[in-house]
């Protein structure tokens, strides 16, 4: 399985760079992780677009897209966003690029960060 096809979690413009934003570390204790199903992504480029649009949102700390599984994982600050904001942005990205994505929130819960 090709890593680029299965997981879009690194910045492909800068190999090895993580797809994260600089964030206020005070947001971490309250951060939630949302799991969303996204159907209609036709290629890894669609997955990168979804990830990039999520990372443009203030309050999204990190986003990973599992293209082959049609799954998105986004860690976000619930004081800034709700899961419905994530689905709205993904749907807007699909309209912007003329690919109809269907989006559904599967689950959400408290995010856990490693101390590395």
């Amino acid at each position: 399985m090709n890593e680029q096809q299965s997981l879009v979690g690194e910045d492909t413009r800068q190999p090895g760079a993580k797809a994260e934003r600089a964030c206020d570390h005070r947001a971490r204790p309250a951060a939630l992780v949302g799991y969303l199903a996204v159907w209609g992504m036709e290629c890894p480029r669609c997955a990168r677009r979804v990830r990039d649009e999520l990372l443009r949102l203030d309050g999204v700390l990190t986003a990973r897209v599992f293209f082959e599984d049609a799954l998105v994982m986004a860690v976000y600050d619930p004081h800034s966003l709700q899961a419905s904001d994530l689905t709205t942005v993904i749907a807007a990205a699909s309209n912007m690029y003329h690919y109809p994505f269907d989006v559904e929130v599967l689950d959400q819960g408290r995010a856990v960060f490693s101390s590395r």
Side-chain angles (χ1 to χ4, degrees), residues 1-71:
M1 181 185 314
N2 182 324
E3 179 71 13
Q4 185 178 8
Q5 289 178 327
S6 63
L7 170 66
V8 179
E10 293 187 353
D11 186 341
T12 55
R13 293 166 294 196
Q14 298 177 7
K18 293 295 181 191
E20 297 177 345
R21 312 171 48 136
C23 67
D24 182 349
H25 291 287
R26 293 174 292 186
R28 284 184 161 195
L32 296 178
V33 58
Y35 298 94
L36 301 97
V38 182
W39 299 279
M41 292 185 290
E42 298 289 329
C43 63
R45 187 184 319 178
C46 293
R48 282 191 298 278
R49 288 175 179 161
V50 166
R51 183 210 55 212
D52 291 348
E53 291 303 316
L54 285 170
L55 290 173
R56 281 180 176 59
L57 273 178
D58 286 333
V60 171
L61 308 178
T62 187
R64 292 197 173 230
V65 178
F66 300 87
F67 167 69
E68 291 179 348
D69 297 322
L71 181 69

Side-chain angles (χ1 to χ4, degrees), residues 9 12 15 23 31 34 36-37 43-45 49 55 58 62-63 72 79-80 83 87-88 97-98 101 111-112 116:
T12 55
C23 67
L36 301 97
C43 63
R45 187 184 319 178
R49 288 175 179 161
L55 290 173
D58 286 333
T62 187
V72 172
H79 297 110
S80 301
T87 62
T88 300
Y97 298 109
H98 308 292
F101 300 155
V112 178
R116 291 186 200 181

